[in-house]
Amino acid sequence: MPRKNVKVEASQKSASKEALPKKKLKNPIVLQNPRGMKDILPGDQGYWTQVRRVLESSYQKYGFQRIDIPVLEYANLFSRSIGEDTDIMDKEVYSFKTKGGDEVALRPEFTAGIARSYIQHGMNVLPKPVKLFSIGQAYRYDRPQEGRYREFWQANFDIFGEEDSILDAEVMQLAYRVLGNLKLKDIQFQVNSIGCTDCRKSYLSLLVSYFKSKNKKLCKDCKRRLGTNPLRILDCKEDKCIQVSSGAPQTVDHLCEDCHEHFKSLLEYLDELEIPYSINPSLVRGLDYYSRTVFEIWSLAEGKRLSLGGGGRYDKLIENLGGEPTPSIGFGLGLDRIVMEMKRTNAKQYEAPKPRIFLAQLGKLAKRKSLKLFADLEKNGILVAESFGRGGLKSQLRTANKLGVDITLIVGQKEALDETVIVKNMVSGTQETVAKEKLLPLIKKIMKSKLVVLKYNNK
Ligand code: HAM
C-alpha cells in the first residue's frame, strides 16, 4: 500500500521523553520513493520472475548472449546516439556533473550503451551476427502516469552485423514469442520504414516544404524542429501538430529501391510467420538513430493501446560513434507494462517450490546442531522450512502445521547429544528416532514422489 508522505523528524523518536527539548531537523526524511519510481514488493515478484524466466529461455534459444552495462554513461554518448532535438534529450534525461567534473547521465535506454560497449571491446572481430541481450532499469524524467515511470525496466535484444531483412523478422518473431509465452493476447505490431540516409534526404526536403506551408499551425517546439530535426515533428504529441502531420508526405512513399525492397521482403516474412501487424506510415519513433525498419508492439486489449515494446534498425549508429559500418537491429520491451498487462489478465505467475519438511529444535545445543542439519539437507537439494528464532516446540509445530508439511524433524537436547533426529510423519502422525546418517534415505522413503528436490544441486 503506498503510504502518504511520512516525515520522520529526530524529535518524533523521543516524543515520549517529554523532558527533552524538541529538535527541529532541517532536512526531514521523506519515507516515500521518488516520484515516478517504485518498489517491486515480494507480492509482485511472481510476475517478475515469470517474465525473467521467459526472457532468459528465449534469448538463449535465439542465440543471444547476455551483456550488462553501467547505468551511467558519459552524457554526450546519449546526445550523439539518440539525437539532440528529441524529447528524451530535451526533457527526460537525468544528467549531472560528478565530483570529478565528468558530465554523466543515467541511461534513458540501452542501445547507446550497448553500441558503445560493442565498439570499446572490439566485438566487430566476433563472428557475425553478434546477438546481445540486456535487462535492467532505465530512467526518463517524464510526467509519471499509469505505465509511464521515471525508473522503469527494459529487456533489450540487439543484433549487430547483418542487414538482411530476415533479421528484422527474426527479432519481431522473438518479441511475439516472448509475449505469447507470457500468455499476453491482442498483440499487434506497428511497422514502418523510414528509409536510409540517402532516400531520407529527398524525403526531408519534401517534408520541410510541407511543414513550412503549415508553419503557423505548429507548436513552438515544432517551429524550432523545422530548422533542426523536421522528422521529429511527426512524433510530436501536441494535438495541433498531430493534425498537421496527418497530411504530411509519408516515408514509405519515398523509399529508394533498396529500402523499398528491404521493407517489402520484411512484410513477406511477417505474412509467412502470421505475425499480426499493421503498416503505420506515421510511426517514426522518438530516437534519431533509426533507419529503415521501425516498429512498435502494441497491446490492444479492451480497446486500449499500450506500447509494450519498440525497436528498429540502426544501421549507422556504430559508424556514427566511431566504429566500422555495422548494420544493426534490435528492440526493447517495457517490463513494467508487461507485468501490468499480466496482472490485468490474471496471467500465470511463477510459483516457487514449497518445502514439504519442517525442522524444529529445542534447547541450546539442538539449536546449534539444527543449523548444520539444515545445510546438509539443503546441499542434497531438499527444501526445509524452519523457525530458528522460536524456542518453544509447540509454536514451531503450529508453524509446521500451518505450512502443511509432510514431515517434521525434531532435534531436542537428547537427540543433539546422540546425533539422532526424531522424524514425525505429519500425515500418519507416527514418529521414529533415527541416526543422522540414516535420515536422508528415510526422508526419501517417506516422501517418495512427494519429495521436493530442487533441480540444481549446489553441493
Ligand atoms: P523505446 O520505445 O523508447 O525504445 O522503449 C521501449 C519500451 O520501453 C517502450 O515500448 C515501453 O514499453 C517501455 N518504456 C519506455 N519508456 C517508459 C517509461 N517511461 N515507463 C515505462 N515503460 C517505458 C527504446 O528504448 C529503444 N532503445 C529500444 C531498442 C533496442 N531499439 C533498438 N534496440
Side-chain angles (χ1 to χ4, degrees):
M1 279 285 284
R3 48 189 295 181
K4 289 217 163 118
N5 279 10
V6 184
K7 294 184 181 179
V8 178
E9 301 196 12
S11 58
Q12 279 185 311
K13 285 188 187 161
S14 53
S16 57
K17 297 178 185 168
E18 293 289 316
L20 290 176
K22 283 185 181 172
K23 266 191 206 161
K24 270 229 161 134
L25 213 67
K26 264 193 202 149
N27 222 350
I29 302 167
V30 181
L31 293 179
Q32 176 95 47
N33 32 19
R35 198 160 120 80
M37 304 196 179
K38 62 184 184 315
D39 304 313
I40 303 172
L41 297 174
D44 273 350
Q45 292 291 345
Y47 290 108
W48 286 86
T49 307
Q50 183 68 11
V51 171
R52 287 197 187 95
R53 284 166 73 94
V54 166
L55 288 168
E56 184 104 350
S57 87
S58 307
Y59 88 69
Q60 285 167 0
K61 283 183 195 155
Y62 278 77
F64 285 72
Q65 287 186 300
R66 177 156 177 165
I67 182 169
D68 292 301
I69 53 167
V71 167
L72 276 185
E73 298 277 356
Y74 291 115
N76 63 359
L77 173 73
F78 296 120
S79 45
R80 278 282 289 279
S81 315
I82 295 167
E84 292 280 6
D85 209 353
T86 54
D87 276 355
I88 294 183
M89 291 316 295
D90 272 353
K91 306 174 199 154
E92 297 170 10
V93 80
Y94 281 84
S95 56
F96 58 95
K97 209 178 210 161
T98 64
K99 287 184 179 133
D102 293 328
E103 293 284 351
V104 293
L106 284 174
R107 61 182 178 207
E109 57 104 52
F110 284 63
T111 316
I114 290 167
R116 189 265 308 139
S117 179
Y118 180 92
I119 301 168
Q120 181 182 339
H121 298 288
M123 292 189 215
N124 57 324
V125 300
L126 300 174
K128 304 279 186 328
V130 177
K131 294 176 158 185
L132 300 174
F133 168 78
S134 53
I135 183 169
Q137 289 106 315
Y139 301 84
R140 294 183 192 175
Y141 190 83
D142 203 349
R143 197 170 48 79
Q145 59 183 57
E146 204 193 15
R148 194 202 289 153
Y149 311 103
R150 290 180 174 173
E151 179 187 65
F152 58 98
W153 284 76
Q154 265 195 2
N156 285 264
F157 294 82
D158 289 282
I159 305 183
F160 297 88
E162 292 276 8
E163 76 174 322
D164 196 307
S165 60
I166 193 164
L167 276 295
D168 308 37
E170 187 188 11
V171 294
M172 290 166 79
Q173 181 195 39
L174 165 54
Y176 195 48
R177 288 284 301 144
V178 168
L179 299 175
N181 283 332
L182 291 169
K183 307 283 177 256
L184 294 182
K185 298 194 179 83
D186 302 311
I187 299 298
Q188 195 194 60
F189 284 76
Q190 302 286 304
V191 284
N192 192 19
S193 175
I194 55 172
C196 63
T197 31
D198 289 344
C199 50
R200 211 177 305 157
K201 264 184 216 144
S202 49
Y203 169 71
L204 284 181
S205 62
L206 276 175
L207 196 65
V208 169
S209 42
Y210 170 78
F211 283 130
K212 270 189 179 158
S213 71
K214 313 273 177 194
N215 194 6
K216 282 195 187 123
K217 294 183 180 160
L218 295 174
C219 74
K220 209 174 121 215
D221 281 344
C222 284
K223 282 185 179 132
R224 191 195 66 246
R225 287 174 184 142
L226 196 47
T228 55
N229 198 347
L231 204 61
R232 290 274 72 82
I233 302 175
L234 296 171
D235 204 36
C236 181
K237 307 290 179 293
E238 293 275 337
D239 281 344
K240 52 184 182 180
C241 299
I242 293 175
Q243 227 170 11
V244 177
S245 289
S246 64
Q250 300 182 342
T251 51
V252 273
D253 297 329
H254 301 277
L255 297 176
C256 65
E257 217 178 306
D258 283 353
C259 287
H260 185 266
E261 191 45 44
H262 194 272
F263 191 47
K264 188 170 152 262
S265 72
L266 166 64
L267 300 182
E268 283 164 5
Y269 283 122
L270 295 182
D271 289 334
E272 183 75 29
L273 291 167
E274 293 181 18
I275 289 178
Y277 72 87
S278 164
I279 299 173
N280 182 342
S282 60
L283 185 75
V284 288
R285 311 263 299 132
L287 305 122
D288 272 1
Y289 50 63
Y290 289 120
S291 53
R292 289 192 164 171
T293 310
V294 286
F295 65 92
E296 282 190 2
I297 308 156
W298 288 1
S299 162
L300 297 176
E302 290 184 351
K304 288 190 193 149
R305 194 184 97 183
L306 182 67
S307 181
L308 299 180
R313 282 213 152 261
Y314 44 99
D315 290 344
K316 296 284 174 202
L317 178 62
I318 296 280
E319 204 177 334
N320 288 344
L321 291 176
E324 63 185 33
T326 311
S328 312
I329 171 112
F331 68 97
L333 289 174
L335 305 188
D336 308 80
R337 293 185 187 179
I338 287 177
V339 168
M340 228 171 77
E341 278 303 279
M342 287 172 74
K343 281 182 172 176
R344 198 186 53 75
T345 56
N346 267 329
K348 186 178 162 241
Q349 296 185 53
Y350 171 75
E351 276 186 45
K354 291 200 171 62
R356 312 292 304 165
I357 296 175
F358 188 87
L359 174 56
Q361 31 73 37
L362 201 64
K364 240 182 177 176
L365 181 65
K367 197 167 182 165
R368 221 162 47 227
K369 297 264 177 186
S370 61
L371 200 53
K372 169 88 170 48
L373 180 59
F374 179 89
D376 289 343
L377 293 168
E378 181 270 318
K379 276 185 205 161
N380 279 283
I382 297 176
L383 280 179
V384 181
E386 45 68 34
S387 54
F388 287 141
R390 297 274 161 88
L393 189 59
K394 247 191 188 171
S395 87
Q396 291 183 69
L397 290 179
R398 250 200 318 270
T399 311
N401 262 325
K402 251 192 222 157
L403 293 172
V405 295
D406 297 312
I407 295 175
T408 297
L409 308 175
I410 306 166
V411 185
Q413 177 77 1
K414 183 171 181 311
E415 289 75 29
L417 287 168
D418 295 353
E419 296 281 317
T420 56
V421 179
I422 297 171
V423 180
K424 186 173 165 69
N425 187 325
M426 304 291 275
V427 184
S428 66
T430 56
Q431 67 177 52
E432 58 185 301
T433 303
V434 292
K436 242 182 176 174
E437 61 274 15
K438 297 207 173 126
L439 181 61
L440 208 60
L442 179 65
I443 289 178
K444 286 188 177 166
K445 196 173 139 206
I446 300 174
M447 305 289 294
K448 287 192 194 123
S449 59
K450 277 183 176 177
L451 189 70
V452 176
V453 176
L454 290 181
K455 283 210 179 96
Y456 64 88
N457 195 343
N458 56 347
K459 258 186 209 180

